[in-house]
């Protein structure tokens, strides 16, 4: 009974002791396997790192070869490019461009070389590359011309169609391949040997000491034209069996392992969830960018293009491969605007960004120009450091075309409005012209009578009377001519053009027409112009139309007022409260005023309080004033009536004229 009672305990003790003895051996065996697996994994990683670096160098050389074939790379630019490539990749010792006769065109070394200066195996690889029209690596060897360390040459043939243009030869120093491409932590734990297919040692790296031949692994580096073998030999020996492993340590470590596995599983699940969310976000962003009609372009702090979306590529006619990695000048820059691009690029690199964007022109691959609107903002990484610029580019060709159509339609509407205004004053114009014509007829008849009396001998000629009659007839003729010229200049249809105009000149030109309308309704016009008032940069005819429309509205507003209130005042002054001084012109009447419900729609198109009105007069006036960079406002006259005031930038100097110049 006692034996059967202790059997479970004895079994548990024996099981525990067995586990205690088995664990160190198993740990040793597992550690040995882990070291071997880790060595294999690290060796594969190193092999991939070497392949990646060689492939990246091959891509850079292919890019340079394409530009050489296309003729877009001068000798100086080529020399700068390959020198930069050598500085950033120290495993490369030399890059040479040989022409079709195997003579040097460009080299990163001062010594002139030909193909004969390379080793025999390198020349054999060059012949294979030329025959196969594909890049080839030569077997590592010592150069034949200059004694030195072993090198390996990469031959890239240049073909334009079937025409051989020469080859680019990149020379690797084999000792630098392991030195530069193998990470230090791997070299500290392993002896690394690079051999050829015949087991000849090409290079060896023993940063951590000689390998112990316990954990070893070999991997073949397959390169076009040759094969190398990467051998790794760990400096670690066979793990020792732990002799002082305590039970508590096993329990604690086991519990710690279980907790670690749980924590690892939790972290892996979180990471997988995060990666899934990130993948969805990337897919969403990619789909969104591909669906945009707005072009997106990213540049680094040196101005190099780092990203373009399909909309931008379609906009300029160049593929993403043609644009990414490009440095200024860009292929889509128009030659005539090159200085503008360079200036704006310098401003961007200096950190100056225009938040509201700017307009410029781009050139498509087929040579056509098109206007664009560009907005740019800084690209900032997770550390808050700026890494470049992101720009959104809008093709505004259609908008420009619509603006041009609107401008033409607006000009036609302005012309129609001027013609409508002339229709309204036609009868008054006829009446006013009759007065100077009747006076001219009277004065000339009197002069003829004096001459006839003198011829008949019934009396002498009084020169003073004759002179007075002729002078008055001449004055009336000039008055009639001034009215006709004002009407002709007002209705003449032409393209808008800006020139310096003073308010006095504007009033002198428009007042004959204003006085015609004022006389019809017995309105007395008064105007006051401030002394030394500067000119404005404006289209005279457009401002005359604005002034005529405003004065006509003011005159018609006073037609039912008492005679003593029918006074039209025009006041011109300088407003210096703005950043740029403005010239203001106020048209003041003492009429019935404008109700508040009408004020809200006063400048709306096709809104009129007149039965026969079209509702376009004030809208045209506001558009014409805003065309000159000014504003048109309304206010109540404290004495009754209304005040319409338009302000225009004063032409103080040439700089002001340039700022407000009209740009088509």
């Amino acid at each position: 009974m006692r034996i059967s009672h202790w059997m479970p305990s004895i079994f548990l003790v024996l099981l525990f002791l067995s586990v205690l003895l088995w664990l160190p051996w198993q740990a040793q065996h597992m550690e040995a396997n882990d070291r071997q697996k880790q060595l294999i994994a690290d060796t594969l990683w190193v092999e991939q790192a070497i392949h990646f670096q060689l492939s990246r160098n091959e891509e850079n050389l292919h890019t340079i070869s394409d530009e050489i074939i296309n003729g877009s790379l001068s000798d100086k630019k080529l020399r700068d490019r390959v020198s930069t490539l050598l500085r950033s990749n120290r495993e490369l010792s030399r890059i040479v461009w040989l022409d079709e006769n195997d003579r040097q065109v460009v080299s990163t070394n001062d010594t002139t070389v030909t193909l004969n200066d390379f080793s025999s195996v390198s020349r054999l690889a060059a012949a294979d590359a030329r025959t196969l029209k594909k890049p080839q690596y030569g077997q590592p060897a010592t150069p034949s011309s200059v004694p030195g360390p072993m090198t390996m040459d990469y031959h890239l043939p240049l073909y334009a169609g079937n025409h051989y243009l020469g080859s680019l030869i990149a020379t690797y120093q084999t000792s630098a391949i392991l030195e530069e491409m193998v990470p230090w932590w791997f070299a500290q734990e392993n002896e690394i040997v690079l051999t050829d297919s015949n087991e000849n040692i090409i290079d060896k790296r023993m940063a951590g000491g000689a390998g112990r031949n316990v954990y070893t692994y070999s991997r073949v580096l397959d390169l076009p034209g040759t094969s190398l073998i990467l051998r790794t030999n760990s400096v670690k020996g066979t793990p020792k069996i732990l002799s002082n492993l305590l039970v508590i340590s096993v329990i604690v470590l086991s519990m710690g392992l279980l907790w670690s596995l749980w924590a690892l599983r939790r972290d892996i699940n979180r990471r997988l969830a995060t990666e899934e969310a990130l993948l969805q976000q990337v897919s969403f962003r990619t789909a969104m960018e591909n669906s945009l009609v707005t072009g997106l372009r990213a540049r680094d702090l040196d101005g190099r293009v780092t990203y373009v979306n399909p909309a931008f590529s379609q906009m300029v006619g160049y593929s993403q491969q043609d644009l990414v990695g490009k440095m200024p000048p860009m292929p889509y820059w128009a030659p005539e605007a090159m200085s503008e691009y360079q200036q704006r690029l310098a401003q961007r690199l200096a950190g100056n960004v225009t938040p509201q964007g700017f307009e410029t022109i781009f050139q498509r691959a087929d040579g056509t120009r098109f206007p664009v609107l560009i907005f740019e903002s800084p690209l900032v990484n997770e550390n808050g450091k700026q890494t470049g610029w992101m720009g959104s580019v809008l093709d505004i060709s259609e908008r420009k075309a619509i603006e041009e159509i609107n401008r033409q339609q607006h000009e036609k509407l302005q012309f129609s409005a001027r013609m409508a205004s002339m229709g309204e004053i036609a009868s008054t114009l006829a009446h006013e012209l009759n007065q100077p014509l009747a006076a001219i007829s009277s004065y000339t008849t009197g002069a003829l009578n004096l001459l006839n009396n003198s011829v008949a001998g019934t009396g002498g000629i009084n020169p003073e009377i004759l002179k007075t009659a002729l002078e008055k007839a001449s004055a009336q003729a000039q008055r009639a001519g001034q009215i006709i010229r004002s009407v002709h200049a007002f209705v003449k249809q032409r393209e808008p053009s800006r020139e310096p105009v003073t308010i006095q000149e504007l009033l002198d030109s428009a007042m004959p027409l204003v006085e015609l309308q004022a006389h019809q309704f017995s309105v007395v016009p008064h105007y006051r112009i401030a002394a030394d008032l500067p000119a404005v940069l404006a289209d005279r005819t457009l401002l005359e139309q604005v002034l005529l429309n405003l004065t006509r509205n003011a005159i018609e507003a006073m037609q039912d007022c008492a005679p003593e209130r029918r006074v039209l005042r025009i006041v011109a002054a300088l407003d210096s409260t703005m950043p740029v001084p403005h010239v203001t012109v106020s048209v003041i009447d003492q009429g019935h005023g404008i109700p508040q419900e009408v004020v809200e729609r006063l400048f709306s198109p096709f809104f009129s309080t007149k039965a026969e009105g079209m509702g376009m007069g004030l809208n045209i006036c506001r558009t014409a004033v805003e065309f000159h960079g000014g504003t048109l406002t309304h206010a109540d006259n404290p004495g009754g009536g209304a005040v319409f005031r338009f302000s225009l930038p004063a032409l103080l100097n040439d700089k002001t004229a340039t700022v407000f110049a009209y740009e088509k």
Side-chain angles (χ1 to χ4, degrees), residues 83-101:
S83 297
T84 302
L85 189 60
L86 256 66
R87 286 195 299 270
S88 59
N89 300 277
R90 289 183 292 182
E91 68 274 5
L92 289 170
S93 62
R94 178 178 63 187
I95 297 178
V96 180
W97 174 21
L98 302 182
D99 61 12
E100 63 271 17
N101 297 318

Side-chain angles (χ1 to χ4, degrees), residues 114-302:
T114 63
L115 187 60
N116 292 329
D117 295 322
F118 291 85
S119 64
S120 59
V121 292
S122 179
R123 292 195 298 271
L124 181 60
D128 291 341
R130 183 168 180 177
T131 302
L132 299 174
K133 297 183 180 180
K134 294 181 179 179
Q136 297 287 308
Y137 281 90
Q139 190 73 17
T142 303
S144 59
S145 58
V146 180
M150 186 175 293
T151 60
M152 180 177 66
D153 297 320
Y154 175 72
H155 297 266
L156 176 60
L158 306 178
Y159 276 91
N162 292 323
H163 180 63
Y164 177 70
L165 302 178
S167 62
L168 276 178
I169 304 176
T171 299
Y172 289 88
Q173 190 170 345
T174 55
S175 59
I177 292 178
L178 297 182
E179 187 67 30
E180 298 295 331
M181 300 184 186
V182 176
W184 64 269
W185 53 266
F186 187 76
Q188 288 290 336
E189 297 181 354
N190 300 279
E191 175 189 274
I192 308 146
V193 179
L194 192 64
T195 68
D196 59 16
S197 57
N198 297 323
E199 301 294 332
N200 297 318
I201 296 178
I202 297 173
D203 190 32
K204 179 185 295 186
R205 185 174 179 184
M206 300 170 57
R212 298 189 181 183
N213 297 319
V214 176
Y215 307 105
T216 61
Y217 187 69
S218 299
R219 186 70 179 177
V220 178
L221 294 173
D222 286 325
L223 301 175
T226 187
S227 294
L228 303 178
I229 300 176
L230 181 67
R231 300 184 184 277
T232 54
N233 189 348
S234 177
V235 298
K236 296 179 180 179
T238 304
K240 297 180 179 180
I241 297 178
L242 301 178
S243 58
N244 58 349
L245 187 62
L246 301 177
V247 175
I248 188 65
S249 300
V250 174
I251 297 174
V252 171
L253 290 176
S254 299
M255 294 178 62
L257 179 60
L258 291 175
W259 179 85
S260 299
L261 291 175
W262 175 83
L264 180 61
R265 182 177 180 276
R266 181 194 60 185
D267 293 341
I268 289 176
N269 290 335
R270 290 179 179 177
R271 181 174 180 179
L272 291 176
T274 303
E275 290 179 352
E276 179 66 22
L278 180 61
L279 182 60
Q280 292 178 358
Q281 290 294 328
V282 171
S283 301
F284 175 78
R285 193 195 73 171
T286 303
M288 180 181 65
E289 292 177 356
N290 292 340
S291 65
L292 289 176
V293 296
T294 301
L296 298 179
R297 175 195 62 186
R299 297 186 290 183
D300 61 17
L301 295 178
D302 296 325

Side-chain angles (χ1 to χ4, degrees), residues 545-562:
Q545 181 177 352
V546 172
L547 189 60
L548 187 62
N549 284 345
L550 296 179
T551 55
R552 182 175 68 248
N553 290 343
I555 292 169
E556 292 177 351
M558 295 186 291
Q559 61 182 342
D560 297 328
C561 297

Side-chain angles (χ1 to χ4, degrees), residues 296-299 303-308 312-313 315-319 322-324 326-338 341 345 360-370 372 374 376 391 393:
L296 298 179
R297 175 195 62 186
R299 297 186 290 183
R304 181 186 293 103
V305 176
T306 57
Y307 168 78
V308 293
F312 186 86
S313 298
M315 186 182 302
V316 298
Y318 293 95
S319 66
D322 294 334
L323 297 177
V324 174
K326 283 287 187 181
M327 291 286 291
M330 300 303 174
Y332 50 82
W333 286 4
E336 63 271 17
M338 195 66 67
Y341 301 142
L345 178 62
T360 186
I361 59 171
F362 277 174
Q363 174 180 270
R364 293 189 175 91
D366 59 5
T368 58
R369 271 72 166 171
F370 63 101
V372 294
I374 302 177
E376 286 193 308
V393 184

Side-chain angles (χ1 to χ4, degrees), residues 306-600:
T306 57
Y307 168 78
V308 293
N309 70 338
F312 186 86
S313 298
Q314 184 178 5
M315 186 182 302
V316 298
Y318 293 95
S319 66
Q320 293 179 332
Q321 293 76 12
D322 294 334
L323 297 177
V324 174
K326 283 287 187 181
M327 291 286 291
M330 300 303 174
Y332 50 82
W333 286 4
E336 63 271 17
M338 195 66 67
S339 59
E340 176 192 352
Y341 301 142
Q342 297 288 0
Q343 181 180 2
R344 290 193 184 278
L345 178 62
Q347 293 175 352
R348 295 296 175 278
L349 299 182
N352 300 325
V353 179
T354 306
Q356 65 272 23
F358 61 92
E359 292 185 12
T360 186
I361 59 171
F362 277 174
Q363 174 180 270
R364 293 189 175 91
D366 59 5
T368 58
R369 271 72 166 171
F370 63 101
V372 294
L373 177 62
I374 302 177
F375 297 88
E376 286 193 308
S377 60
L379 278 175
V380 181
N381 62 13
E382 66 277 5
N383 298 322
K385 182 179 179 181
Q386 182 178 351
T387 60
W389 304 94
M390 172 59 76
S392 58
V393 184
L394 300 175
D395 185 348
I396 57 174
S397 302
E398 294 183 2
R399 194 188 80 179
K400 287 292 185 181
I402 293 174
E403 290 177 355
E404 179 63 20
I405 293 174
N406 290 338
R407 185 186 68 82
Q408 295 175 2
Q409 293 297 330
H410 187 71
E411 291 176 7
K412 293 179 181 179
L413 188 59
Q414 289 174 340
F415 178 71
S416 299
R418 291 199 298 272
M419 296 304 297
S421 299
M422 289 310 304
E424 296 176 5
I425 65 174
S427 60
T428 305
L429 176 63
H431 174 73
E432 291 296 326
L433 286 178
N434 281 334
Q435 292 182 358
L437 292 177
I440 292 172
S441 177
S442 176
Y443 291 137
T444 55
T445 300
L448 289 174
N449 289 336
L450 289 176
L451 292 175
N452 290 334
N453 292 337
S454 175
V455 173
T458 59
I461 298 176
N462 188 333
E464 291 299 325
I465 296 176
L466 182 61
K467 179 181 179 183
T468 301
L470 293 178
E471 287 177 347
K472 291 183 177 180
S474 175
Q476 293 297 327
Q478 291 178 2
R479 178 187 173 191
Q482 178 63 31
I483 293 174
I484 296 299
R485 284 192 297 272
S486 297
V487 173
H488 179 266
F490 182 72
V491 301
K492 183 179 180 182
Q493 186 175 13
R494 58 183 178 78
E495 290 290 328
S497 61
R498 291 194 180 190
E499 59 183 0
V501 178
T502 64
I503 300 301
Q504 184 65 56
E505 294 173 346
L506 181 65
L507 289 176
D508 291 342
S509 178
M511 282 310 293
L513 301 180
V514 175
E515 291 174 352
L516 283 178
Q517 299 176 90
H519 181 72
Q520 181 181 3
F521 296 99
S522 300
V523 174
V524 179
H526 291 290
Y527 62 90
R528 184 176 75 251
I529 302 177
D532 299 328
L533 195 63
V536 295
L537 192 65
D539 183 278
R540 184 192 302 269
T541 302
L542 291 181
L543 290 189
E544 288 179 6
Q545 181 177 352
V546 172
L547 189 60
L548 187 62
N549 284 345
L550 296 179
T551 55
R552 182 175 68 248
N553 290 343
I555 292 169
E556 292 177 351
M558 295 186 291
Q559 61 182 342
D560 297 328
C561 297
E564 64 273 11
R565 291 183 58 83
R566 298 180 187 177
V567 178
L568 172 66
R569 290 189 296 145
I570 302 175
V571 180
L574 181 65
D575 184 1
S576 302
T577 61
M578 301 182 180
V580 176
H582 279 54
V583 175
T584 62
V585 179
S586 303
V587 178
I588 308 170
D589 67 70
Q590 301 184 99
H592 50 67
I594 301 176
Q596 185 61 36
E597 63 272 12
V598 176
V599 171
E600 297 176 356

